[in-house]
Amino acid sequence: MKKWLYLAAVLATVYLNLVYEWPDGRYILAVELVFPVILCLQARMMGAKIRICPQGDFQMAEEGETLNIPFVVENCGVFRIPFLRVQIEHKKQTVRNLKKGEKHTFLFPYEASACGKHEVKVKKAVTTDASGMFRIRIRKLQSVPAEIHIVPKAYPVLAEISEAVRLFVTEGEEYAKDRGGDDTSEVFDVHEYQPGDRIAQIHWKLSARTDELYMKEFSFPLGAAVILLLDPGESKMTEEAGKVFLNLAASAGRAMVEESCRFYAVWKESRTQVFKRFLVKNEETFYDWLLALSSTQVSELDRLDEDLYRHEFFEPYLKAVRIGGDLSIQCGEEMPVFFHEKTFVEELNRTVLEI
């Protein structure tokens, strides 16, 4: 509408100049013709001072999740920005009346479909001049892409942790807070002497101060009695099978975390022949592991079995859980459980991992 009004004003000025030989008409016409040029230059100046950045260093989402990524639009110039339309991928967001120095945050919905690291960039940004008459695309936009890390989705599966695994003594820098053990380097608790206690456990300093015999209870070191081996095998997996392979690994790992069973997740890179080992001890380290795993393509993993693991690492463990490239999970010497690409979620629901 504003453009039509402007065009009508220019045509009216031209008509008056031609019919009535209007003395000042030429100056008015010159101003009318220069006016849109000034507006366009101002709009370009405003566009150069617009900054669009994601909020936070990076975003993390599970496969299949819809993530709302916050983007911050900042007006770093001296002019008010009446209108700004931002296009990210195929979706558009509109910001209106952004004053000098102000910030506006909008959410961009992103569907996390494939595991790995992804970037979401601003494809296009359009602003208007102060009058709102002309829309101009911003060519030199100050924009930073959003970094997205998509991790494999963990599906429900039950895990039964044996007493042998729970009581297996391993080396570790942390100690259990709810039970004692045999690690003499750390004292868990003290108690009064009871018949049958060993003399080597007498707390001599405390006993001397109290004139009563007190015994040391040593600590139980928290290591990892279980290893989770990611073994793609010899044959190449399809893209869909590779996704299921990672889902099985994440599901088995999540089941152990829910049972407070620490484990080492281990895989091997085929290109560098480097072993990757990650200690998972709680939910936080579980997602840290998935974050590290998501940056590696399944096609880049090399064959890995217990013999290779023992040759590389000499720490003791009790049981190995193997995730196979044939879409199987094998716990120790038990028979492997096989899954299918299309129905593995339902099959996991019916499975109990005996660890």
Side-chain angles (χ1 to χ4, degrees):
M1 184 64 183
K2 293 180 179 179
K3 290 182 180 180
W4 289 109
L5 291 175
Y6 168 75
L7 184 59
V10 171
L11 292 176
T13 305
V14 172
Y15 175 78
L16 291 173
N17 274 282
L18 292 176
V19 175
Y20 298 102
E21 296 184 0
W22 187 16
D24 298 326
R26 288 176 297 175
Y27 300 106
I28 294 175
L29 182 60
V31 170
E32 289 176 342
L33 294 176
V34 172
F35 180 66
V37 178
I38 297 174
L39 291 178
C40 290
L41 290 175
Q42 183 195 26
R44 292 192 180 278
M45 290 174 60
M46 289 190 302
K49 298 296 182 180
I50 297 173
R51 182 182 299 154
I52 305 176
C53 300
Q55 199 172 60
D57 295 332
F58 67 90
Q59 303 285 327
M60 186 175 73
E62 278 191 343
E63 179 188 358
E65 181 183 356
T66 298
L67 183 67
N68 288 318
I69 308 173
F71 278 88
V72 179
V73 181
E74 182 179 4
N75 182 4
C76 303
V78 297
F79 300 105
R80 178 183 66 89
I81 299 173
F83 175 88
L84 177 68
R85 176 165 291 167
V86 181
Q87 180 180 340
I88 302 176
E89 293 191 345
H90 302 295
K91 298 182 177 67
K92 297 179 181 179
Q93 294 282 348
T94 300
V95 179
R96 298 183 184 275
N97 195 28
L98 191 63
K99 298 179 182 178
K100 172 186 174 182
E102 280 190 348
K103 296 180 180 180
H104 177 82
T105 302
F106 64 85
L107 298 177
F108 171 73
Y110 179 81
E111 295 182 3
S113 57
C115 292
K117 177 182 174 182
H118 304 267
E119 285 189 345
V120 178
K121 301 179 180 179
V122 176
K123 286 191 173 182
K124 182 180 177 182
V126 176
T127 187
T128 64
D129 58 85
S131 68
M133 186 163 51
F134 299 102
R135 293 193 177 184
I136 299 174
R137 181 172 180 176
I138 303 173
R139 298 294 179 182
K140 296 181 179 180
L141 182 66
Q142 300 180 45
S143 175
V144 177
E147 186 176 312
I148 313 296
H149 292 264
I150 302 175
V151 300
K153 184 175 178 61
Y155 293 93
V157 59
L158 291 177
E160 291 184 354
I161 312 300
S162 65
E163 284 299 309
V165 168
R166 294 191 185 277
L167 299 177
F168 187 77
V169 179
T170 58
E171 297 179 0
E173 299 179 355
E174 300 177 52
Y175 298 89
K177 297 180 179 179
D178 58 346
R179 55 178 165 164
D182 297 319
D183 191 336
T184 58
S185 63
E186 187 82 10
V187 176
F188 169 68
D189 200 357
V190 295
H191 65 266
E192 292 184 359
Y193 172 79
Q194 297 175 358
D197 285 341
R198 292 182 295 174
I199 296 177
Q201 291 183 243
I202 297 176
H203 197 305
W204 293 108
K205 291 184 179 180
L206 182 60
S207 299
R209 289 200 305 267
T210 59
D211 292 330
E212 298 285 344
L213 275 180
Y214 280 91
M215 314 302 292
K216 297 177 183 177
E217 292 183 23
F218 297 122
S219 294
F220 186 89
L222 292 175
V226 179
I227 57 172
L228 181 68
L229 300 176
L230 275 64
D231 178 19
E234 299 291 348
S235 60
K236 296 293 183 181
M237 284 182 282
T238 63
E239 183 178 351
E240 186 63 29
K243 290 173 61 177
V244 177
F245 174 81
L246 294 179
N247 291 140
L248 294 178
S251 302
R254 183 57 184 257
M256 286 189 281
V257 168
E258 290 177 348
E259 292 295 326
S260 301
C261 176
R262 294 180 169 216
F263 64 93
Y264 274 112
V266 188
W267 64 97
K268 184 182 179 184
E269 294 182 349
S270 58
R271 182 177 58 85
T272 61
Q273 292 296 297
V274 173
F275 285 83
K276 299 290 185 179
R277 193 170 74 149
F278 209 101
L279 176 60
V280 179
K281 52 188 179 181
N282 50 33
E283 188 170 359
E284 181 181 354
T285 53
F286 169 73
Y287 281 106
D288 288 341
W289 162 54
L290 291 186
L291 198 61
L293 182 62
S294 66
S295 62
T296 302
Q297 299 293 327
V298 174
S299 59
E300 298 174 357
L301 299 182
D302 202 357
R303 186 181 65 85
L304 178 61
D305 56 25
E306 284 193 71
D307 291 335
L308 287 173
Y309 178 82
R310 293 193 191 100
H311 185 267
E312 185 70 17
F313 304 97
F314 300 97
E315 292 181 1
Y317 67 93
L318 187 62
K319 182 161 288 191
V321 178
R322 174 187 169 274
I323 309 297
D326 53 359
L327 304 186
S328 66
I329 301 179
Q330 183 177 13
C331 300
E333 299 300 326
E334 301 288 333
M335 292 295 294
V337 181
F338 294 91
F339 300 87
H340 301 85
E341 291 183 15
K342 303 298 183 183
T343 58
F344 75 95
V345 177
E346 294 80 6
E347 292 165 350
L348 279 171
N349 280 323
R350 302 191 298 266
T351 302
V352 179
L353 305 179
E354 296 182 359
I355 301 173

Coordinates of all heavy atoms in Angstrom, one line a residue, residues 137-189:
R137 N 17.1 -7.6 1.4 CA 17.8 -8.8 2.0 C 19.1 -8.4 2.5 O 19.8 -7.6 1.9 CB 17.9 -9.8 0.9 CG 18.7 -11.1 1.4 CD 18.7 -12.2 0.4 NE 19.3 -13.4 0.9 CZ 19.4 -14.5 0.2 NH1 18.9 -14.6 -1.0 NH2 20.1 -15.5 0.7
I138 N 19.4 -8.9 3.7 CA 20.7 -8.5 4.4 C 21.8 -9.5 3.8 O 21.7 -10.7 4.0 CB 20.6 -8.7 5.9 CG1 19.5 -7.8 6.4 CG2 21.9 -8.4 6.6 CD1 19.2 -8.1 7.9
R139 N 22.8 -8.9 3.1 CA 23.8 -9.7 2.5 C 24.9 -10.1 3.4 O 25.4 -11.2 3.4 CB 24.4 -8.9 1.3 CG 23.4 -8.5 0.2 CD 22.9 -9.8 -0.5 NE 21.9 -9.5 -1.5 CZ 21.3 -10.4 -2.2 NH1 21.5 -11.7 -2.0 NH2 20.4 -10.0 -3.1
K140 N 25.3 -9.1 4.3 CA 26.4 -9.4 5.2 C 25.8 -9.5 6.6 O 25.8 -8.5 7.4 CB 27.5 -8.3 5.2 CG 28.2 -8.3 3.8 CD 29.3 -7.2 3.8 CE 30.0 -7.2 2.4 NZ 31.0 -6.1 2.4
L141 N 25.3 -10.6 7.0 CA 24.7 -10.8 8.3 C 25.6 -11.4 9.3 O 26.4 -12.3 9.0 CB 23.5 -11.8 8.1 CG 22.6 -12.1 9.3 CD1 21.9 -10.9 9.7 CD2 21.7 -13.2 9.0
Q142 N 25.6 -10.8 10.5 CA 26.4 -11.3 11.6 C 25.6 -12.5 12.2 O 24.8 -12.3 13.0 CB 26.7 -10.2 12.6 CG 27.4 -9.0 12.1 CD 27.7 -8.0 13.1 OE1 28.1 -8.3 14.3 NE2 27.4 -6.7 12.8
S143 N 26.0 -13.7 11.8 CA 25.3 -14.8 12.3 C 26.2 -16.0 12.6 O 27.2 -16.2 12.0 CB 24.3 -15.3 11.2 OG 23.6 -16.5 11.6
V144 N 25.8 -16.7 13.7 CA 26.6 -17.9 14.1 C 25.7 -19.1 14.1 O 24.6 -19.1 14.6 CB 27.1 -17.7 15.6 CG1 27.9 -19.0 16.1 CG2 28.0 -16.5 15.6
P145 N 26.1 -20.2 13.5 CA 25.2 -21.4 13.4 C 25.1 -22.1 14.8 O 26.0 -22.0 15.6 CB 26.0 -22.3 12.4 CG 27.4 -21.9 12.5 CD 27.4 -20.4 12.8
A146 N 24.0 -22.7 15.0 CA 23.7 -23.5 16.2 C 24.3 -24.9 16.0 O 24.1 -25.5 15.0 CB 22.3 -23.6 16.5
E147 N 25.1 -25.3 17.0 CA 25.7 -26.6 17.0 C 24.8 -27.6 17.7 O 24.5 -27.4 18.9 CB 27.1 -26.6 17.6 CG 27.9 -27.9 17.5 CD 29.3 -27.7 18.1 OE1 30.0 -26.7 17.7 OE2 29.7 -28.6 18.9
I148 N 24.4 -28.7 17.0 CA 23.5 -29.7 17.6 C 24.2 -31.0 17.6 O 24.7 -31.5 16.6 CB 22.2 -29.8 16.7 CG1 21.6 -28.4 16.4 CG2 21.1 -30.7 17.5 CD1 21.2 -27.6 17.6
H149 N 24.1 -31.7 18.8 CA 24.6 -33.0 18.9 C 23.5 -34.0 19.2 O 22.8 -33.8 20.2 CB 25.6 -33.1 20.1 CG 26.9 -32.4 19.8 ND1 28.0 -33.0 19.3 CD2 27.2 -31.0 20.0 CE1 29.0 -32.1 19.2 NE2 28.5 -30.9 19.6
I150 N 23.2 -34.9 18.3 CA 22.1 -35.8 18.4 C 22.7 -37.2 18.9 O 23.6 -37.7 18.2 CB 21.4 -36.0 17.1 CG1 20.8 -34.6 16.6 CG2 20.2 -36.9 17.2 CD1 20.2 -34.6 15.3
V151 N 22.2 -37.7 20.0 CA 22.7 -38.9 20.6 C 21.7 -40.0 20.3 O 20.5 -39.8 20.1 CB 23.0 -38.7 22.1 CG1 24.1 -37.7 22.3 CG2 21.7 -38.4 22.8
P152 N 22.2 -41.3 20.3 CA 21.2 -42.4 20.1 C 20.2 -42.4 21.2 O 20.4 -42.1 22.4 CB 22.1 -43.6 20.2 CG 23.5 -43.1 20.0 CD 23.6 -41.7 20.5
K153 N 19.0 -42.9 20.9 CA 17.9 -43.0 21.8 C 18.0 -44.3 22.6 O 18.3 -45.3 22.0 CB 16.5 -42.9 21.1 CG 15.3 -42.9 22.1 CD 14.0 -42.7 21.3 CE 12.8 -42.8 22.2 NZ 12.9 -41.8 23.3
A154 N 17.8 -44.2 23.9 CA 17.8 -45.4 24.8 C 16.4 -45.8 25.0 O 15.6 -45.1 25.5 CB 18.6 -45.1 26.1
Y155 N 16.1 -47.1 24.7 CA 14.8 -47.7 24.9 C 14.8 -48.5 26.1 O 15.8 -49.1 26.5 CB 14.4 -48.5 23.6 CG 14.2 -47.6 22.4 CD1 15.2 -47.4 21.5 CD2 13.0 -47.0 22.1 CE1 15.1 -46.7 20.4 CE2 12.8 -46.2 21.0 CZ 13.8 -46.1 20.1 OH 13.7 -45.3 19.0
P156 N 13.6 -48.7 26.7 CA 13.5 -49.5 28.0 C 13.9 -50.9 27.8 O 13.4 -51.6 26.9 CB 12.0 -49.3 28.4 CG 11.5 -48.1 27.7 CD 12.3 -48.1 26.4
V157 N 14.8 -51.4 28.7 CA 15.1 -52.8 28.8 C 15.5 -53.1 30.2 O 16.2 -52.3 30.9 CB 16.3 -53.2 27.8 CG1 17.5 -52.4 28.0 CG2 16.6 -54.7 27.8
L158 N 15.2 -54.3 30.7 CA 15.5 -54.6 32.1 C 16.9 -55.2 32.2 O 17.3 -55.9 31.3 CB 14.4 -55.6 32.7 CG 13.0 -55.0 32.9 CD1 12.1 -56.2 33.4 CD2 13.0 -53.9 33.9
A159 N 17.5 -54.9 33.3 CA 18.8 -55.5 33.6 C 18.8 -56.0 35.0 O 18.4 -55.3 35.9 CB 20.0 -54.5 33.4
E160 N 19.3 -57.3 35.2 CA 19.4 -57.9 36.5 C 20.9 -58.0 36.8 O 21.6 -58.7 36.1 CB 18.8 -59.2 36.6 CG 17.2 -59.2 36.5 CD 16.6 -60.5 36.7 OE1 17.3 -61.5 36.7 OE2 15.3 -60.6 36.7
I161 N 21.4 -57.3 37.8 CA 22.8 -57.2 38.2 C 23.0 -58.3 39.3 O 22.4 -58.2 40.3 CB 23.2 -55.8 38.6 CG1 22.7 -54.8 37.6 CG2 24.8 -55.8 38.8 CD1 23.3 -54.9 36.2
S162 N 23.9 -59.2 39.0 CA 24.2 -60.2 40.0 C 25.0 -59.7 41.2 O 25.7 -58.7 41.1 CB 25.0 -61.4 39.3 OG 26.3 -60.9 38.9
E163 N 24.9 -60.4 42.3 CA 25.7 -60.0 43.5 C 27.2 -60.1 43.2 O 28.0 -59.3 43.8 CB 25.3 -60.9 44.7 CG 24.0 -60.6 45.3 CD 23.9 -59.2 45.9 OE1 24.8 -58.9 46.6 OE2 23.0 -58.5 45.5
A164 N 27.6 -61.1 42.4 CA 29.0 -61.2 42.1 C 29.5 -59.9 41.4 O 30.7 -59.5 41.7 CB 29.2 -62.4 41.2
V165 N 28.7 -59.3 40.5 CA 29.1 -58.1 39.9 C 29.2 -56.9 40.9 O 30.1 -56.1 40.9 CB 28.2 -57.8 38.7 CG1 28.4 -56.3 38.2 CG2 28.4 -58.8 37.6
R166 N 28.1 -56.9 41.7 CA 28.0 -55.8 42.7 C 29.2 -55.8 43.7 O 29.6 -54.8 44.2 CB 26.7 -55.8 43.4 CG 25.5 -55.5 42.5 CD 24.2 -55.3 43.2 NE 23.1 -55.1 42.4 CZ 22.7 -54.0 41.8 NH1 23.5 -52.9 41.9 NH2 21.7 -53.9 41.0
L167 N 29.6 -57.0 44.1 CA 30.6 -57.2 45.1 C 32.0 -57.4 44.5 O 33.0 -57.6 45.3 CB 30.3 -58.3 46.0 CG 29.0 -58.2 46.8 CD1 28.7 -59.5 47.6 CD2 28.9 -57.0 47.7
F168 N 32.2 -57.3 43.2 CA 33.5 -57.5 42.6 C 34.4 -56.3 42.9 O 34.0 -55.2 42.7 CB 33.3 -57.7 41.1 CG 34.6 -58.0 40.4 CD1 35.1 -59.3 40.4 CD2 35.3 -57.1 39.7 CE1 36.2 -59.7 39.8 CE2 36.5 -57.4 39.0 CZ 36.9 -58.7 39.1
V169 N 35.6 -56.6 43.4 CA 36.5 -55.6 43.9 C 37.4 -55.2 42.7 O 38.0 -56.0 42.0 CB 37.4 -56.1 45.0 CG1 38.4 -55.0 45.4 CG2 36.6 -56.5 46.2
T170 N 37.3 -53.9 42.4 CA 38.1 -53.3 41.3 C 38.9 -52.1 41.8 O 38.6 -51.6 42.9 CB 37.2 -52.9 40.1 OG1 36.3 -51.9 40.6 CG2 36.4 -54.0 39.5
E171 N 39.8 -51.6 41.0 CA 40.5 -50.4 41.4 C 39.7 -49.2 41.0 O 39.1 -49.2 39.9 CB 41.8 -50.4 40.7 CG 42.8 -51.5 41.1 CD 44.1 -51.5 40.3 OE1 44.3 -50.6 39.5 OE2 44.9 -52.4 40.6
G172 N 39.7 -48.2 41.8 CA 39.0 -47.0 41.5 C 39.4 -45.8 42.5 O 39.9 -46.1 43.6
E173 N 39.2 -44.6 42.0 CA 39.5 -43.4 42.8 C 38.4 -43.0 43.7 O 38.6 -42.1 44.6 CB 39.9 -42.3 41.9 CG 41.1 -42.6 41.0 CD 41.5 -41.4 40.1 OE1 40.7 -40.5 40.1 OE2 42.5 -41.5 39.3
E174 N 37.2 -43.6 43.6 CA 36.1 -43.3 44.4 C 35.8 -44.5 45.3 O 36.1 -45.6 45.0 CB 34.9 -42.9 43.6 CG 35.1 -41.7 42.7 CD 33.9 -41.3 41.9 OE1 32.8 -41.2 42.4 OE2 34.1 -41.2 40.6
Y175 N 35.0 -44.2 46.4 CA 34.7 -45.3 47.3 C 33.2 -45.2 47.6 O 32.6 -44.2 47.6 CB 35.5 -45.2 48.6 CG 37.0 -45.3 48.4 CD1 37.8 -44.2 48.1 CD2 37.6 -46.5 48.5 CE1 39.1 -44.3 47.9 CE2 39.0 -46.7 48.3 CZ 39.7 -45.6 48.0 OH 41.1 -45.7 47.8
A176 N 32.6 -46.4 47.9 CA 31.2 -46.5 48.2 C 30.9 -45.8 49.6 O 31.7 -45.9 50.5 CB 30.8 -48.0 48.3
K177 N 29.8 -45.1 49.6 CA 29.4 -44.4 50.8 C 28.4 -45.3 51.7 O 28.1 -44.8 52.8 CB 28.8 -43.1 50.5 CG 29.7 -42.1 49.8 CD 29.0 -40.8 49.4 CE 30.0 -39.9 48.7 NZ 29.4 -38.6 48.4
D178 N 28.0 -46.4 51.1 CA 27.0 -47.2 51.9 C 27.4 -48.5 52.3 O 26.7 -49.3 52.9 CB 25.7 -47.3 51.0 CG 26.0 -48.0 49.7 OD1 27.2 -48.1 49.3 OD2 25.1 -48.4 49.0
R179 N 28.7 -48.9 52.0 CA 29.2 -50.2 52.4 C 30.7 -50.1 52.5 O 31.4 -49.3 51.9 CB 28.8 -51.2 51.4 CG 29.2 -50.9 50.0 CD 28.8 -52.0 49.0 NE 28.9 -51.5 47.7 CZ 28.9 -52.3 46.6 NH1 28.9 -53.6 46.8 NH2 28.9 -51.8 45.4
G180 N 31.2 -51.1 53.4 CA 32.7 -51.2 53.5 C 33.2 -52.2 52.6 O 32.5 -53.0 52.0
G181 N 34.6 -52.3 52.6 CA 35.3 -53.3 51.8 C 36.6 -53.7 52.4 O 36.8 -53.7 53.6
D182 N 37.5 -54.0 51.5 CA 38.9 -54.5 51.9 C 40.0 -53.5 51.5 O 41.2 -53.9 51.5 CB 39.1 -55.9 51.4 CG 38.1 -56.9 52.0 OD1 37.8 -56.8 53.1 OD2 37.6 -57.7 51.2
D183 N 39.7 -52.3 51.1 CA 40.7 -51.4 50.6 C 41.3 -50.7 51.8 O 40.7 -49.8 52.4 CB 40.1 -50.4 49.6 CG 41.2 -49.6 48.9 OD1 42.3 -49.5 49.5 OD2 41.0 -49.1 47.8
T184 N 42.5 -51.1 52.2 CA 43.1 -50.6 53.4 C 43.6 -49.1 53.3 O 44.0 -48.5 54.3 CB 44.3 -51.4 53.9 OG1 45.2 -51.5 52.8 CG2 43.8 -52.8 54.2
S185 N 43.6 -48.6 52.1 CA 44.1 -47.2 51.9 C 43.0 -46.2 52.3 O 43.4 -45.0 52.4 CB 44.4 -47.0 50.4 OG 43.3 -47.2 49.6
E186 N 41.8 -46.6 52.5 CA 40.8 -45.6 52.9 C 39.9 -46.3 54.0 O 39.5 -47.5 53.9 CB 39.9 -45.3 51.7 CG 38.9 -44.2 51.9 CD 39.5 -42.8 51.7 OE1 40.6 -42.7 51.3 OE2 38.8 -41.9 52.1
V187 N 39.6 -45.5 55.1 CA 38.7 -45.9 56.1 C 37.3 -45.5 55.9 O 37.0 -44.4 55.7 CB 39.2 -45.4 57.5 CG1 38.3 -45.8 58.6 CG2 40.6 -45.9 57.8
F188 N 36.4 -46.5 55.9 CA 35.0 -46.3 55.7 C 34.3 -45.9 57.0 O 33.5 -44.9 57.0 CB 34.3 -47.5 55.1 CG 32.8 -47.5 55.0 CD1 32.2 -46.6 54.2 CD2 32.1 -48.3 55.8 CE1 30.8 -46.6 54.1 CE2 30.7 -48.3 55.8 CZ 30.1 -47.4 55.0
D189 N 34.6 -46.6 58.1 CA 33.9 -46.3 59.3 C 34.7 -47.0 60.5 O 35.6 -47.8 60.2 CB 32.4 -46.9 59.3 CG 31.5 -46.2 60.3 OD1 32.1 -45.4 61.1 OD2 30.3 -46.5 60.4

